[in-house]
């Protein structure tokens, strides 16, 4: 899926397991329009919007960009959905995500290591928890901050989440720290001990 240093995802991407790669625009009226892998960026990336302007859908509303991909990590009938972030820079991103969350059975919420949860994020989480209590919280980019700094943010986030959303009869909410750089290094590592060290919290 499109990635970038700044806010990149501008539409919902819905991924399912398939024997072959496939890409399509799926509209609210049920129409499905196949596209190429290269066109996926044009229709779903904010950087493409900035270069080319908003894509024309001729009055139709895009529901999501459907992606079929070979991979054993997704069981049949399960869809993994990537939604735009909630940053205030692009209000339309938040609108797209708010519209989709009512369909979710579970959600993974990605937090930044540079700051604790914002009021906008907390308001969104109220809606998300009203739909499903199956949530996982991941704090990314820990490799860009000193351990003391990102751990302080992690602890603050866990405090805010557990105060706002007490888990009756369930374990308290935990925020899992993550470094894409370390994960990438671990994926390339052949020594199991070194790989475990890279993956350890």
């Amino acid at each position: 899926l499109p990635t970038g240093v700044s806010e990149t995802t501008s539409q919902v991407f819905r991924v399912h397991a398939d024997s072959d790669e496939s890409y399509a625009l799926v509209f609210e009226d049920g129409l499905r329009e196949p596209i190429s892998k290269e066109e996926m960026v044009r229709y779903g990336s904010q950087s493409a919007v900035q270069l080319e302007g908003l894509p024309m859908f001729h009055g139709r509303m895009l529901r999501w960009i459907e992606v079929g991909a070979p991979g054993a990590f997704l069981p049949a009938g399960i869809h993994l959905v990537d939604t735009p972030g909630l940053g205030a820079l692009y209000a339309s991103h938040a609108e797209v995500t708010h519209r989709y969350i009512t369909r979710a059975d579970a959600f993974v919420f990605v937090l930044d290591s540079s700051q604790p949860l914002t009021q906008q994020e907390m308001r969104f989480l109220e809606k998300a928890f009203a739909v499903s209590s199956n949530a996982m919280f991941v704090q990314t980019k820990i490799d860009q901050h000193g351990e003391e700094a990102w751990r302080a943010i992690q602890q603050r986030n866990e405090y805010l989440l557990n105060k706002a959303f007490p888990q009756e009869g369930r374990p308290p909410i935990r925020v899992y720290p993550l470094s894409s750089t370390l994960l990438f290094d671990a994926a390339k590592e052949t020594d199991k001990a070194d790989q475990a060290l890279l993956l350890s919290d």
Side-chain angles (χ1 to χ4, degrees):
L1 303 183
T3 59
V5 177
S6 60
E7 296 182 49
T8 303
T9 306
S10 60
Q11 297 290 347
V12 171
F13 287 85
R14 189 171 183 257
V15 183
H16 67 276
D18 206 340
S19 55
D20 298 306
E21 283 189 14
S22 62
Y23 308 90
L25 304 177
V26 178
F27 295 93
E28 290 291 350
D29 60 9
L31 185 68
R32 190 176 188 277
E33 183 180 320
I35 59 173
S36 67
K37 183 177 183 177
E38 291 70 32
E39 288 177 307
M40 188 171 58
V41 173
R42 175 186 171 204
Y43 290 113
S45 168
Q46 184 60 40
S47 57
V49 169
Q50 289 169 331
L51 287 173
E52 304 172 18
L54 289 169
M56 296 296 292
F57 297 131
H58 307 291
R60 291 172 297 176
M61 180 177 284
L62 186 66
R63 182 180 293 173
W64 56 62
I65 299 173
E66 186 81 19
V67 178
F73 69 95
L74 274 178
I78 300 295
H79 294 86
L80 181 65
V81 177
D82 183 20
T83 64
L86 299 173
L89 192 57
Y90 303 106
S92 61
H93 290 192
E95 290 172 14
V96 168
T97 301
H98 278 274
R99 192 170 72 239
Y100 192 87
I101 192 62
T102 57
R103 305 172 186 264
D105 295 310
F107 62 95
V108 178
F109 197 87
V110 180
L111 300 160
D112 195 315
S113 289
S114 64
Q115 65 175 6
L117 279 153
T118 65
Q119 289 184 342
Q120 183 185 21
E121 289 171 327
M122 293 296 281
R123 285 195 298 269
F124 174 81
L125 286 170
E126 286 178 16
K127 295 182 180 180
F129 270 109
V131 173
S132 174
S133 59
N134 299 315
M136 173 180 271
F137 293 87
V138 178
Q139 183 174 310
T140 61
K141 303 178 183 177
I142 62 170
D143 52 287
Q144 296 181 15
H145 305 273
E147 184 172 354
E148 185 177 343
W150 70 253
R151 284 200 183 274
I153 297 294
Q154 177 193 25
Q155 291 168 7
R156 178 63 178 165
N157 283 332
E158 288 179 341
Y159 169 78
L160 292 171
L161 288 166
N162 284 292
K163 182 180 178 183
F165 311 107
Q167 304 293 288
E168 296 179 12
R170 303 178 70 173
I173 294 172
R174 182 179 172 200
V175 174
Y176 294 89
L178 180 70
S179 162
S180 298
T181 303
L182 294 178
L183 281 175
F184 184 71
D185 290 343
K188 295 186 298 181
E189 184 57 63
T190 55
D191 185 276
K192 294 296 183 185
D194 289 342
Q195 187 179 63
L197 184 64
L198 286 166
L199 295 174
S200 65
D201 175 4

